[in-house]
Amino acid sequence: MSRPLLVVVGDTLLDRDVEGSVHRVAPDAPAPVLDERSVSDRPGGAGLAALLAAAAGDHDVALVTALGSDAAAARLSSLLSTAGIDVYALPLEGATAEKIRLRSGGHVLVRLDRGGEPAVPGPAPAAALEVLQRASAILVSDYGRGVLRQPELRTALEQAKAPIVWDPHPNGPAPVPNVRLVTPNESEARKLTDLAGGGSQLAMVQRAGQTLRRRWRAGAVVVTIGAKGAVLVHNGSTPLVVPALISSDGDTCGAGDRFAATAALALARGALVSEAVQEAVASASSYVASGGVTAALAPAALPAVPSPAEKIVADVRAKGGTVVATGGCFDLLHVGHLATLQAARKLGDCLIVCLNSDSSVSALKGPDRPLTKQDDRARMLAALECVDAVVVFDEPTPEATLTWLRPDVWVKGGDYADGGPELPEAELVRRWGGQTVIVPYLDGRSTTNTIAAAQAATRR
């Protein structure tokens, strides 16, 4: 049986924590001086929701979001693909949003936001709309930056058959009609309904939930109230109050994402809305008590620093250029390889080569291959004028690497030139609107033929 598929839809941003120590005040301004010790990046917004969902169990996670043409987008692509998330990216004209926190002693000294004004992304690739129809459940994680205002995406959400959990934002649009569950927190519910104080917290939350449920034509609304749990309102007059069994005053960053993702996954398994909310309260409470986002995400699972390929791709995209990629074993580099690489490079502004590792080559070609180790193969390729960067991958295919590279053009050799089945990576490349093309080989040039000729010469 296939694994359940959770599709997360929403605005993704890059969270960067700069940790350091403060021992003095700047001589030129009344401000503390932070001596930087470490920097860590992670996806934020809908990206964090997808990351938490991917770490939570036996299901697949896809993310439909918008990414710009800058270093932050390249970094996000790498982080998300490393976590096993399938990314379907809509084009974003402006800069990718970033939140940079300067921290010392466990406290945030200042936060720097980048990314400018929210913007509606460009046209959605067909693959991004199609994945919504395959979803077992859909989590909309709206952070008010424009993804949920994209017309094609909203239409696809309206037509989706899977249960939808919608985590709203005061600056975002209304949920599409007939969403199974909407999950505002108390502060968001107050802003969205303009309800002033008066009466008990429970009474206010219930009124806000019912107002939003009717306004949005939603199946149910659950208003989360922090450490106290959540209040679920539906078409009945009596709310369901779900207390948090674990009380903690820890870091709540990502708790709402954990809550909404847990509820969506529960609905995908066929749970009732009331059961999904109870499971979500327990999961979010445990998440905060266990240390929050820092404890939930294993630092070793995320690349510590951007790779050279990430930087090259970001620079090319920032200038409006075209990113080209190709892949292969490249064992015993020969003139046929060179012709393919030179042809590929002419199709864009940079060429990234995805290189099979030694273990990957052995699995594909047999225990006697490769003849040349991966470090030497990578060095030879990188020395070619037509190659801008080399990325080594361990899997049989470069799909994981392509997911974060997001090349505009993926190049395959001429053994596919005469038709036959669709190119293996073509469907993947369509996720972000990329194109797969074929360039010719030089006749008679191949590593296998070269090895065979050398062996025949040895036997003579």
Side-chain angles (χ1 to χ4, degrees):
M1 296 180 63
S2 60
R3 287 154 54 97
L5 171 62
L6 174 67
V7 179
V8 181
V9 183
D11 311 283
T12 299
L13 50 90
L14 180 65
D15 276 336
R16 173 167 291 160
D17 288 341
V18 180
E19 294 282 353
S21 56
V22 176
H23 302 290
R24 64 191 189 281
V25 175
D28 54 344
V33 176
L34 182 72
D35 291 318
E36 180 182 314
R37 292 182 177 176
S38 65
V39 179
S40 61
D41 297 336
R42 68 172 181 271
L48 178 57
L51 205 62
L52 293 172
D58 296 330
H59 47 264
D60 296 322
V61 177
L63 173 64
V64 178
T65 190
L67 294 174
S69 300
D70 50 18
R75 184 70 172 137
L76 281 169
S77 295
S78 176
L79 294 169
L80 291 163
S81 63
T82 298
I85 297 166
D86 295 334
V87 179
Y88 295 77
L90 281 64
L92 183 64
E93 289 297 324
T96 303
E98 297 180 69
K99 290 184 179 179
I100 304 168
R101 298 173 180 85
L102 304 183
R103 299 167 54 93
S104 179
H107 300 285
V108 177
L109 303 180
V110 66
R111 194 182 88 183
L112 170 65
D113 285 5
R114 293 175 177 167
E117 294 298 316
V120 177
L129 304 178
E130 188 272 334
V131 74
L132 292 171
Q133 306 307 314
R134 295 192 286 109
S136 305
I138 297 170
L139 167 59
V140 172
S141 185
D142 187 3
Y143 275 76
R145 295 203 56 84
V147 168
L148 275 306
R149 297 186 185 276
Q150 212 282 342
E152 298 166 292
L153 199 56
R154 289 188 68 84
T155 299
L157 287 168
E158 290 177 2
Q159 297 172 348
K161 297 179 175 58
I164 297 177
V165 173
W166 194 294
D167 192 1
H169 191 281
N171 296 330
V176 299
N178 301 315
V179 166
R180 186 77 61 86
L181 180 66
V182 187
T183 64
N185 60 36
E186 181 182 359
S187 174
E188 292 165 342
R190 287 180 181 273
K191 291 178 182 177
L192 288 163
T193 57
D194 293 323
L195 289 178
S200 67
Q201 181 187 46
L202 176 59
M204 189 286 300
V205 165
Q206 181 184 2
R207 291 198 308 273
Q210 288 290 14
T211 299
L212 294 174
R213 189 187 68 81
R214 289 190 293 266
R215 179 190 301 173
W216 292 334
R217 289 183 284 165
V221 172
V222 59
V223 182
T224 57
I225 48 178
K228 295 181 180 179
V231 178
L232 173 66
V233 295
H234 35 69
N235 57 5
S237 59
T238 305
L240 173 68
V241 178
V242 183
L245 299 180
I246 303 174
S247 180
S248 174
D249 58 357
D251 184 1
T252 60
C253 176
D257 298 307
R258 169 59 69 86
F259 180 97
T262 301
L265 289 166
L267 293 177
R269 297 194 302 269
L272 300 174
V273 170
S274 58
E275 296 170 334
V277 169
Q278 292 175 67
E279 188 174 330
V281 168
S283 178
S285 300
S286 176
Y287 167 87
V288 174
S290 299
V293 67
T294 303
L297 303 180
L302 302 179
V305 296
S307 67
E310 286 180 57
K311 295 178 181 178
I312 290 170
V313 168
D315 289 343
V316 169
R317 288 209 170 101
K319 297 173 183 176
T322 298
V323 176
V324 182
T326 190
C329 300
F330 297 98
D331 198 9
L332 294 184
L333 192 65
H334 53 71
V335 69
H337 290 143
L338 182 61
T340 298
L341 294 168
Q342 288 174 329
R345 182 60 176 82
K346 291 178 181 178
L347 298 175
D349 300 286
C350 72
L351 175 62
I352 311 297
V353 177
C354 303
L355 179 67
N356 293 75
S357 68
D358 290 345
S359 60
S360 177
V361 174
S362 296
L364 292 170
K365 304 289 187 179
D368 295 333
R369 301 280 297 275
L371 299 180
T372 308
K373 297 300 182 183
Q374 66 188 42
D375 289 347
D376 292 341
R377 288 184 285 128
R379 186 174 178 182
M380 291 282 287
L381 287 165
L384 298 176
E385 185 178 0
C386 57
V387 175
D388 295 275
V390 178
V391 179
V392 179
F393 64 92
D394 287 317
E395 300 80 13
T397 68
E399 290 193 1
T401 300
L402 288 177
T403 297
W404 66 261
L405 278 177
R406 293 187 297 125
D408 302 296
V409 183
W410 170 243
V411 178
K412 296 291 289 187
D415 50 350
Y416 289 91
D418 295 322
E422 186 176 46
L423 299 173
E425 294 84 18
E427 181 180 355
L428 172 69
V429 175
R430 281 197 291 268
R431 288 182 189 169
W432 50 86
Q435 184 178 6
T436 303
V437 302
I438 300 166
V439 296
Y441 276 148
L442 291 180
D443 288 341
R445 274 78 166 186
S446 76
T447 300
T448 300
N449 290 343
T450 302
I451 294 172
Q455 291 173 336
T458 301
R459 289 193 293 267
R460 286 199 296 267

